[in-house]
Amino acid sequence: MDIAVVSLFPEMLVPFAEFGVVGRAVQRKLVRMETVDPRRYATDVHGTVDDRPYGGGPGMLLRVEPYATAIAAARTRVPDGSPVIFLTPQGQVFDQAVARRLAALPGMILVAGRYEGFDERLIEMACDEELSLGDFVLSGGEVAAMAVIDATLRLLPGVLGDEQSAVEDSFSTGLLDHPHYTRPEVIHGRAVPDVLLAGDHEAIRRWRRKQALGRTSLRRPELLRGENLGSEDRRLLDEFLEERQPGNEDDNRPLH
Ligand code: 9D3
């Protein structure tokens, strides 16, 4: 996949493309990432990319011309059929289903804004799709672009290598994750749940499924609304909710 990011702060993307899962994907040439800085396409000597809003009001807007030219330059860096995706607070909320859709593309152009955002005519002319990370205020689109890239690249064949974690991940199951424990067996009086130590793998699978269902039901009930739980899932969730009395912290209780 070829990705071009249009940004006034291209340096923000450099360490992102160097480390961890994304860094490895770049190294292995499973993805090509480039940045295009609209300031380089400004027409005046000062490299002006912003201007004051018509109608008044606070803040500055991003001008059409430098961004339109930068996006045209970005088009030459990605395959035909790569959509131009603006990161804006007004966009569709990014989720795992969107990540799966993007992972099937040959490439994409991500456009990150700053200040109060874009002149609307740029969006009308040059944007195929707007994405948001959710209802909170960022200082610009770069962090959102990195989140979109990260979630998308993880779904490309070969990117995760041996860790086939992507398929078993929360959200591919549609549920929140179950709790995890590693050594030591007891810390600050808190023990690892017995079932995880006993070696009964069917019991462990059931316990994890039950925890995942229970936590999803308590913390993110909207994720379960669409789901039609099977008979085992319904029984496990009923058990979880039954066992959850005030004061019963079950396996997580301190041992003193
Ligand atoms: C505080 C300024 N807001 C006035 C009503 C508007 C506003 C403009 C520009 C708010 C944020 C931004 C910059 N945000 C992004 O570029 C952005 C974003 C976000 O803020 N939240 C969630 N997803 C995204 S994607 C891009």
Side-chain angles (χ1 to χ4, degrees), residues 14 108 111 116 204 236 249:
V14 171
M108 54 187 170
V111 183
E116 291 308 300
I204 291 169
L236 290 171
E249 258 105 82

Side-chain angles (χ1 to χ4, degrees), residues 136-147:
F136 47 88
V137 180
L138 297 173
S139 304
E142 285 80 6
V143 165
M146 290 188 264

Side-chain angles (χ1 to χ4, degrees), residues 101-199:
R101 176 164 60 78
L102 299 184
L105 295 169
M108 54 187 170
I109 297 170
L110 297 174
V111 183
R114 282 276 149 177
Y115 315 119
E116 291 308 300
F118 305 97
D119 184 310
E120 187 65 20
R121 294 166 297 181
L122 177 72
I123 297 175
E124 292 167 5
M125 290 186 294
C127 172
D128 294 310
E129 177 173 353
E130 288 177 69
L131 291 177
S132 164
L133 283 196
D135 296 335
F136 47 88
V137 180
L138 297 173
S139 304
E142 285 80 6
V143 165
M146 290 188 264
V148 167
I149 293 169
D150 187 84
T152 301
L153 292 189
R154 294 174 58 79
L155 299 176
L156 298 186
V159 165
L160 286 189
D162 237 13
E163 341 147 26
Q164 231 334 8
S165 312
V167 274
E168 286 201 22
D169 234 318
S170 164
F171 297 115
S172 53
T173 69
L175 299 177
L176 301 184
D177 215 350
H178 55 74
H180 300 267
Y181 300 87
T182 186
R183 295 192 299 175
E185 238 180 85
V186 181
I187 187 159
H188 297 162
R190 291 169 183 274
V192 173
D194 288 331
V195 62
L196 300 179
L197 305 173

Side-chain angles (χ1 to χ4, degrees), residues 26-44:
V26 172
Q27 269 188 351
R28 291 183 188 158
K29 301 192 190 298
L30 299 169
V31 61
R32 251 199 341 233
M33 247 191 277
E34 305 205 25
T35 55
V36 180
D37 183 350
R39 195 174 297 285
R40 296 192 36 204
Y41 299 91
T43 47
D44 66 329

